[in-house]
Amino acid sequence: MEEKSETKVVLTVIIPAYNAEMTIESCIQSLLVQTYKAKEIIVVDDGSKDDTLHILTKLAESNKTIKIIHQKNKGVSAARNTALNNVSSETTHICFVDADDIVKPDFLSFFAENIEKGKLIIQGFIKRYKNITENILYNKTENILKQLVQEGDFGHIFDKCFDIHIIRKYNLHFNEQFTFAEDEAFVLDYMQYIPNIKYINVAQYEYIIPTIEKSYSKDNNMGMYFYCLSKMANICQILNLPLHDIYKNRLYRCGKQFFKPSNFKRNTTSNIKSYFSNYISDTQSIPIFFSKWHFTIVVISKLKIEGLYIKWMSKILNR
């Protein structure tokens, strides 16, 4: 039997904004016409160089729901953290919206009406790219967590509703050192305390993919991969789910990190040794032939030559 919230759901919406003058007004307007009204809409202007702050100021003058915070440019994670630190004491749950997206009128209503204690609430969403529109929905009869991960949608935070009391109790925040998949790290941190999911089979969020996306090829995200792996391994253990089945795509990428020359240039030997040790610990229950990367890592570990391998790679690449 579902355990619905006994108190009124009070929602805060968080929007990080950077150089969003072309989209921020339509984004906020879509939130102002919701059938279930937000307590507040916190917009953090992250040092925009265009007219974003001016537009936000004008919008806030005509609607007290909008709360504007301006800060120097620190990145999207820092902007979201700033907002989390300024959420109203009356708020019970929070949602995240990106400044270049919009939502349909019942976006907040579906969250508010489906809050269930001890569960992360997730909706589907609408993906827009150029002239292509796709409704992203999942099969409710199959494992939702597995579907989210396999489709690459697990790390999105815009389709999820979070209990602010959990965030405050465990001091959860976005890792500002990660330049990629910081959303996934936050979701995984949250699910350490709320591992169960409630899925709503509707699509109310319009995720508008920019025609020119940011390149992450030069970013050092090795630590992010293994941080997320460790968190997911713990969740799978709690839920009694096979890690290699749920986290298949990410496991492949994690294993590959030890064979990417750039990682040995950007990380200290001690860090890579730590990642190697954690990988072996977190994946000890998965099949040895899961992937060629996993098989090779397991062989290196069995032969106890990981130290020699890491030292050799570091020495060769740092010449």
Side-chain angles (χ1 to χ4, degrees):
M1 183 175 178
E2 293 184 358
E3 187 178 346
K4 296 290 184 73
S5 174
E6 296 180 357
T7 58
K8 178 177 173 60
V9 176
V10 181
L11 292 170
T12 287
V13 179
I14 290 174
I15 307 174
Y18 176 72
N19 290 350
E21 63 179 4
M22 301 298 292
T23 60
I24 191 61
E25 185 167 1
S26 59
C27 174
I28 291 177
Q29 290 295 351
S30 72
L31 286 162
L32 293 177
V33 297
Q34 291 292 296
T35 55
Y36 193 97
K37 303 300 181 183
K39 165 69 178 178
E40 58 186 356
I41 301 169
I42 302 178
V43 189
V44 179
D45 174 54
D46 191 41
S48 295
K49 298 178 181 179
D50 62 3
D51 209 28
T52 298
L53 183 58
H54 175 70
I55 295 170
L56 289 172
T57 302
K58 295 294 288 184
L59 288 169
E61 288 174 357
S62 60
N63 195 303
K64 295 182 180 180
T65 302
I66 304 169
K67 182 177 181 180
I68 310 301
I69 301 174
H70 176 72
Q71 66 181 30
K72 292 182 179 180
N73 181 249
K74 300 178 183 179
V76 65
S77 290
R80 287 172 178 151
N81 286 337
T82 295
L84 285 174
N85 292 332
N86 286 275
V87 171
S88 166
S89 60
E90 297 176 45
T91 295
T92 62
H93 294 79
I94 59 169
C95 304
F96 295 91
V97 172
D98 290 341
D100 53 355
D101 297 334
I102 59 175
V103 295
K104 290 185 175 296
D106 291 325
F107 173 66
L108 296 181
S109 178
F110 275 110
F111 276 140
E113 293 173 1
N114 285 278
I115 294 299
E116 188 174 337
K117 186 177 180 181
K119 291 189 177 181
L120 172 61
I121 314 301
I122 301 177
Q123 294 186 26
F125 60 95
I126 301 163
K127 184 184 291 185
R128 296 191 185 280
Y129 179 69
K130 294 184 178 179
N131 295 322
I132 301 172
T133 299
E134 181 183 4
N135 282 2
I136 308 299
L137 298 168
Y138 302 99
N139 188 338
K140 294 185 71 173
T141 64
E142 298 179 6
N143 187 287
I144 296 298
L145 179 59
K146 178 180 178 179
Q147 292 178 76
L148 287 166
V149 175
Q150 289 184 342
E151 294 300 321
D153 299 326
F154 177 71
H156 296 153
I157 57 169
F158 55 69
D159 57 347
K160 301 172 179 67
C161 185
F162 301 87
D163 187 332
I164 190 63
H165 302 103
I166 297 297
I167 292 172
R168 287 172 174 158
K169 181 177 181 179
Y170 298 103
N171 191 28
L172 302 181
H173 61 277
F174 290 84
N175 192 317
E176 297 177 21
Q177 295 181 335
F178 296 159
T179 55
F180 173 69
E182 70 284 345
D183 293 4
E184 182 171 331
F186 180 83
V187 174
L188 284 165
D189 281 341
Y190 184 87
M191 290 186 70
Q192 301 303 301
Y193 311 102
I194 303 289
N196 294 298
I197 291 173
K198 180 176 181 179
Y199 172 65
I200 313 167
N201 198 36
V202 297
Q204 289 278 305
Y205 188 102
E206 297 193 23
Y207 174 39
I208 303 171
I209 303 175
T211 54
I212 301 176
E213 294 191 73
K214 178 181 176 181
S215 173
Y216 297 98
S217 60
K218 295 182 180 179
D219 292 332
N220 176 25
N221 289 297
M222 190 175 188
M224 176 279 297
Y225 278 108
F226 294 104
Y227 181 87
C228 290
L229 171 60
S230 176
K231 297 296 182 177
M232 181 57 84
N234 189 51
I235 291 170
C236 285
Q237 185 175 17
I238 293 172
L239 299 177
N240 194 28
L241 296 171
L243 177 64
H244 60 279
D245 188 40
I246 299 295
Y247 213 49
K248 184 175 182 179
N249 294 341
R250 276 284 192 238
L251 276 167
Y252 183 87
R253 294 182 185 182
C254 285
K256 193 175 181 180
Q257 298 305 303
F258 294 109
F259 305 94
K260 292 180 67 174
S262 59
N263 284 329
F264 289 85
K265 293 181 179 180
R266 298 171 181 161
N267 291 274
T268 64
T269 299
S270 60
N271 278 345
I272 295 176
K273 285 182 178 179
S274 175
Y275 299 150
F276 195 100
S277 175
N278 290 341
Y279 177 89
I280 292 297
S281 175
D282 292 332
T283 63
Q284 58 185 334
S285 64
I286 76 174
I288 193 169
F289 287 104
F290 171 78
S291 74
K292 61 182 179 182
W293 309 117
H294 179 66
F295 173 74
T296 306
I297 294 168
V298 170
V299 170
I300 290 173
S301 176
K302 293 291 185 182
L303 295 175
K304 298 182 178 180
I305 58 171
E306 59 264 31
L308 289 175
Y309 171 74
I310 294 170
K311 184 177 180 180
W312 176 76
M313 284 286 284
S314 300
K315 184 177 181 180
I316 292 296
L317 294 168
N318 288 314
R319 281 181 178 176

